[in-house]
């Protein structure tokens, strides 16, 4: 899509584009939207206010969040069928007796739902909603890493979180992402969230990043890690899909599932 086309959007076209970006990336900041749409932040705030009035998004500090990610929402999850495929693929990485470290988000939520009841696992998480979902699994020991809860990411952040993560070495980290790119690695737009995810990588022997293919070739403001620092990327598409070929060539150490 060319810049002049976006710049000439009508108000309704702009709002639809904003809604798509928020659903795709979970959270988007006012300033990032203003840059992408060639309008002022005040215009974006008015659009977000209208989208929130229509119960389509949730305003958070500095931006907006997809409604399906919120704890009180019954909204249909964006690209849910694709996220269920990713969840099923991720289950293949999990073995009985493992220690996992997991984040949060709608794809992680689908993964938790699909964990077989007979698996005995210890799962550490920094996400409150993930911890609640895990309570339905009879043979999982769930350990919540405590700290201040970010209203942006719904993850625990603060010095206590880093201290606890420093004493963990999980077999596998399972983490969602807001954006993923060959050069930009996987990234987010919130400083505190990025720092916690970096610490989670350090606290794990292996790592799997879960993402719908629509997020490929997208970048947010702050890099978490290069793709060479990740072991697996799990998407809904097959490894032969054209979207993955440039990644396979650029990062031969990375395994796509």
């Amino acid at each position: 899509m060319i810049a002049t086309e976006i710049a000439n959007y009508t108000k309704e076209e702009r709002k639809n584009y904003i809604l798509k970006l928020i659903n795709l990336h979970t959270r988007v900041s006012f300033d990032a939207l203003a840059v992408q749409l060639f309008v002022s932040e005040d215009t974006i705030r008015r659009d977000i206010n209208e989208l929130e009035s229509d119960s389509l998004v949730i305003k958070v500090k500095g931006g907006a969040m997809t409604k399906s990610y919120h704890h009180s929402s019954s909204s249909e999850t964006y690209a849910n069928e694709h996220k269920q495929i990713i969840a099923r693929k991720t289950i293949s990485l999990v073995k009985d007796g493992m220690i996992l470290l997991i984040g949060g988000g709608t794809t992680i939520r689908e993964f938790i739902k699909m964990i077989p009841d007979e698996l005995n696992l210890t799962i550490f998480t920094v996400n409150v909603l993930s911890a609640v979902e895990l309570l339905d699994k009879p043979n999982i020991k769930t350990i919540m890493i405590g700290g201040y809860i970010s209203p942006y990411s719904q993850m625990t952040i603060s010095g206590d979180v880093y201290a606890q993560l420093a004493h963990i070495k999980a077999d596998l980290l399972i983490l969602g992402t807001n954006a993923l790119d060959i050069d930009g690695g996987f990234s987010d737009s919130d400083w505190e969230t990025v720092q916690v995810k970096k610490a989670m990588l350090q606290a794990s022997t292996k790592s799997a990043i879960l993402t719908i293919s629509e997020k490929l070739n997208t970048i947010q403001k702050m890099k978490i890690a290069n793709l060479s620092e990740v072991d697996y990327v799990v998407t809904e598409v097959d490894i032969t899909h054209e979207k993955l070929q440039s990644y396979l060539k650029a990062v031969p150490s990375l395994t796509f599932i």
Side-chain angles (χ1 to χ4, degrees), residues 40-228:
S40 69
E41 284 192 37
D42 285 341
T43 297
I44 294 297
R45 288 175 192 275
R46 287 193 293 270
D47 289 343
I48 293 293
N49 286 339
E50 291 180 16
L51 289 168
E52 185 180 47
S53 295
D54 292 336
S55 298
L56 296 173
V57 302
I58 295 170
K59 283 177 65 178
V60 294
K61 184 178 180 181
M65 177 172 67
T66 179
K67 204 165 178 209
S68 63
Y69 189 51
H70 197 260
H71 66 87
S72 64
S73 175
S74 58
S75 298
E76 183 178 343
T77 300
Y78 181 76
N80 197 53
E81 288 185 7
H82 290 169
K83 292 177 181 180
Q84 289 175 345
I85 293 170
I86 293 168
R88 280 192 290 272
K89 287 183 174 184
T90 306
I91 292 294
S92 69
L93 297 173
V94 180
K95 309 301 179 187
D96 195 61
M98 268 188 165
I99 298 173
L100 305 182
L101 176 58
I102 68 172
T106 51
T107 309
I108 297 287
R109 186 166 64 204
E110 294 301 323
F111 162 74
I112 293 171
K113 290 176 183 176
M114 291 187 187
I115 296 174
D117 286 346
E118 64 271 17
L119 275 186
N120 291 277
L121 303 168
T122 298
I123 300 183
F124 290 86
T125 185
V126 296
N127 186 275
V128 178
L129 300 184
S130 293
V132 172
E133 289 278 353
L134 285 165
L135 292 177
D136 291 333
K137 299 295 176 178
N139 291 318
I140 291 178
K141 180 179 181 181
T142 302
I143 302 173
M144 181 75 207
I145 297 176
Y148 167 73
I149 301 172
S150 165
Y152 170 83
S153 63
Q154 300 179 355
M155 291 168 54
T156 52
I157 55 176
S158 69
D160 289 344
V161 175
Y162 303 123
Q164 292 172 69
L165 286 171
H167 293 286
I168 297 170
K169 202 62 178 178
D171 297 308
L172 179 66
L173 168 67
I174 298 175
L175 201 60
T177 185
N178 284 348
L180 191 144
D181 181 74
I182 291 173
D183 297 319
F186 68 106
S187 55
D188 207 309
S189 57
D190 178 71
W191 172 256
E192 291 173 316
T193 300
V194 166
Q195 301 316 305
V196 171
K197 288 185 176 182
K198 285 182 176 181
M200 292 172 78
L201 277 170
Q202 293 298 315
S204 308
T205 303
K206 297 279 188 179
S207 56
I209 305 302
L210 281 49
T211 180
I212 57 174
S213 60
E214 201 173 345
K215 293 183 182 180
L216 298 176
N217 304 317
T218 65
I219 303 175
Q220 295 207 341
K221 291 187 291 186
M222 300 175 194
K223 181 187 283 189
I224 298 164
N226 293 314
L227 294 185
S228 58

Side-chain angles (χ1 to χ4, degrees), residues 8-40:
N8 291 325
Y9 272 177
T10 65
K11 181 177 181 179
E12 284 307 309
E13 288 174 331
R14 188 175 64 241
K15 285 168 61 177
N16 287 334
Y17 187 69
I18 290 170
L19 183 60
K20 180 179 179 179
L21 286 178
I22 292 171
N23 282 328
L24 177 61
H25 296 295
T26 306
R27 295 165 297 271
V28 182
S29 64
F30 294 135
D31 60 338
L33 288 169
V35 169
Q36 290 188 58
L37 285 157
F38 304 95
V39 294
S40 69

Side-chain angles (χ1 to χ4, degrees), residues 223-241:
K223 181 187 283 189
I224 298 164
N226 293 314
L227 294 185
S228 58
E229 300 173 66
V230 175
D231 297 287
Y232 308 102
V233 170
V234 190
T235 76
E236 83 281 6
V237 298
D238 187 79
I239 195 169
T240 59
H241 195 282

